[in-house]
Amino acid sequence: MNLNEEIIKLKKEKNAIILAHYYQRPEIQDIADAVGDSYYLSKMARECSENLIVFCGVRFMAESAKILSPEKIVLLPAADAGCPMADMAAAEEVKILKEKHPHAKVVCYINSSAEVKSLSDVCCTSSNALKIINSIEEKEIIFLPDKNLGEHIAEQIPDKEFILWDGFCITHKKVKAEALEKARSLHKDILIAAHPECEKPVRAAADFIGSTGEIINFVSTSSNSKFLIVTEEGVLHEIKRKNPEKKFYLPGGGMSCINMKKTYLKDVYNSLLNMENKIEINEEIRKKAYVSLANMHELGR
Ligand code: 13P
Ligand code: SF4
């Protein structure tokens, strides 16, 4: 049996589900039971009947699954797959900011640590942030850790006051607006879809801004035939699978997330075989973090 077959056999024996983010390597997406953006994967992890989840993504995603479903075993095949943006918000600093703004509601991007989630009122992803923040009555919003997503939402809700954290995604920061201008000059009829983790000049130069899932939906339902995809290159796997007749371009500059690429098939196999790399979260922190994630699912419905 090859590695794929071994994984499928083990998965059946152990009644496990394999979840993968769109930024994962093609062979990981191909072996997964469900591939999606952060919100979809969080929903899947919460609603699936399997008690064993192999989460092919980065740590905050697997932690979010465990926070919402503590009774399930959640494995992260690449134990050191973190998210540098999530690491940019330290819990102690969040506490200080909250003290400075006692009337503000704290909205944290799902790309955050369990402890930061435990200090937040509600979580969000890039696909539901606007809906969630719109449903909050309070005027003052602390948004963390992604300044770019926060700015993008703030531009659409001018009557709220946003206190933005200074975090960013090192992958999306690599792209500059010039790359988008160049693509437009080379291909007159190109449409540009960008992730909100991109900086403002890049967002301003795009035709569409959305989560990975929303970008895939945008290009799949558009009648246009050429697109520049301004997010991590892993999404091209699903995009090309769904749209074999269309043409897709990347802005260049190495839009690859090293952490998302840490998971290989052998890691999936080993974690399933040996039940390695289980996610564990301090119960006190988990209970508080649960509230912010459950609020996201309630408000994001
Ligand atoms: P989405 O899948 O929600 O668009 O998030 C992108 C991301 O950066 C995940 O780390
Ligand atoms: Fe974190 Fe950016 Fe990688 Fe997503 S793409 S996991 S935000 S570093």
Side-chain angles (χ1 to χ4, degrees):
M1 272 196 287
N2 64 27
L3 204 47
N4 281 39
E5 290 163 344
E6 297 271 15
I7 292 170
I8 291 166
K9 183 169 167 271
L10 262 181
K11 191 184 76 173
K12 281 189 188 144
E13 277 169 18
K14 301 202 174 193
N15 189 28
I17 185 170
I18 301 178
L19 303 180
H21 189 266
Y22 287 128
Y23 294 166
Q24 290 286 293
R25 293 176 180 278
E27 63 273 24
I28 299 291
Q29 295 190 39
D30 289 343
I31 197 118
D33 297 292
V35 185
D37 67 8
S38 309
Y39 182 54
Y40 176 76
L41 293 176
S42 176
K43 246 171 85 72
M44 280 298 294
R46 189 185 198 205
E47 292 167 9
C48 69
S49 58
E50 290 84 354
N51 271 316
L52 176 56
I53 299 172
V54 183
F55 215 122
C56 302
V58 290
R59 182 160 288 273
F60 74 79
M61 296 179 172
E63 281 184 353
S64 298
K66 184 70 182 173
I67 290 166
L68 283 165
S69 309
E71 72 290 354
K72 294 179 184 169
I73 295 173
V74 182
L75 306 177
L76 179 66
D80 62 339
C83 169
M85 183 210 281
D87 297 339
M88 288 176 192
E92 284 314 308
E93 292 172 55
V94 176
K95 284 182 195 162
I96 295 169
L97 191 64
K98 280 178 68 164
E99 277 164 20
K100 270 199 206 162
H101 302 276
H103 304 297
K105 283 280 167 191
V106 182
V107 181
C108 78
Y109 194 20
I110 197 164
N111 303 38
S112 53
S113 68
E115 200 175 359
V116 165
K117 287 185 176 75
S118 78
L119 298 168
S120 303
D121 294 295
V122 59
C123 257
C124 70
T125 73
S126 52
S127 69
N128 60 28
L130 182 65
K131 188 173 183 187
I132 282 170
I133 298 175
N134 260 326
S135 69
I136 296 173
E137 276 178 24
E138 282 77 357
K139 204 171 170 217
E140 218 181 344
I141 305 286
I142 292 176
F143 188 88
L144 52 96
D146 188 12
K147 191 176 180 187
N148 292 309
L149 175 62
E151 244 176 27
H152 173 61
I153 302 298
E155 283 159 13
Q156 298 169 76
I157 320 180
D159 56 324
K160 284 201 189 291
E161 268 169 45
F162 283 80
I163 299 127
L164 301 177
W165 200 264
D166 203 12
F168 58 88
C169 165
I170 55 169
T171 308
H172 289 87
K173 198 181 169 66
K174 286 183 187 166
V175 64
K176 299 293 166 214
E178 291 74 44
L180 279 67
E181 284 156 21
K182 192 174 165 198
R184 281 208 203 274
S185 67
L186 288 173
H187 313 281
K188 297 286 169 236
D189 50 353
I190 203 162
L191 281 181
I192 303 181
H195 198 277
E197 287 175 12
C198 295
E199 290 177 325
K200 194 179 169 122
V202 173
R203 299 195 309 272
D207 298 297
F208 176 81
I209 300 166
S211 75
T212 51
E214 288 168 335
I215 289 175
I216 294 168
N217 190 44
F218 170 73
V219 303
S220 304
T221 54
S222 166
S223 57
N224 212 60
S225 60
K226 275 187 200 169
F227 300 87
L228 182 74
I229 305 299
V230 191
T231 189
E232 210 271 356
E233 62 194 18
V235 293
L236 281 183
H237 185 58
E238 180 69 3
I239 286 181
K240 286 181 176 169
R241 194 184 66 75
K242 281 196 161 146
N243 303 279
E245 75 294 352
K246 296 181 183 174
K247 271 196 166 300
F248 300 99
Y249 302 88
L250 285 169
M255 293 283 283
S256 176
C257 170
I258 47 167
N259 284 286
M260 283 285 184
K261 298 295 187 267
K262 283 182 178 170
T263 313
Y264 291 87
L265 283 177
K266 68 169 178 12
D267 302 311
V268 177
Y269 176 73
N270 286 337
S271 69
L272 254 176
L273 181 71
N274 305 318
M275 298 298 281
E276 274 169 9
N277 305 333
K278 283 186 196 163
I279 297 288
E280 310 279 0
I281 296 169
N282 168 291
E283 185 56 10
E284 206 182 315
I285 290 175
R286 191 202 64 78
K287 276 191 190 147
K288 290 185 192 152
Y290 175 89
V291 177
S292 67
L293 276 167
N295 282 343
M296 171 182 87
H297 282 282
E298 182 58 30
L299 298 173
R301 258 190 314 175

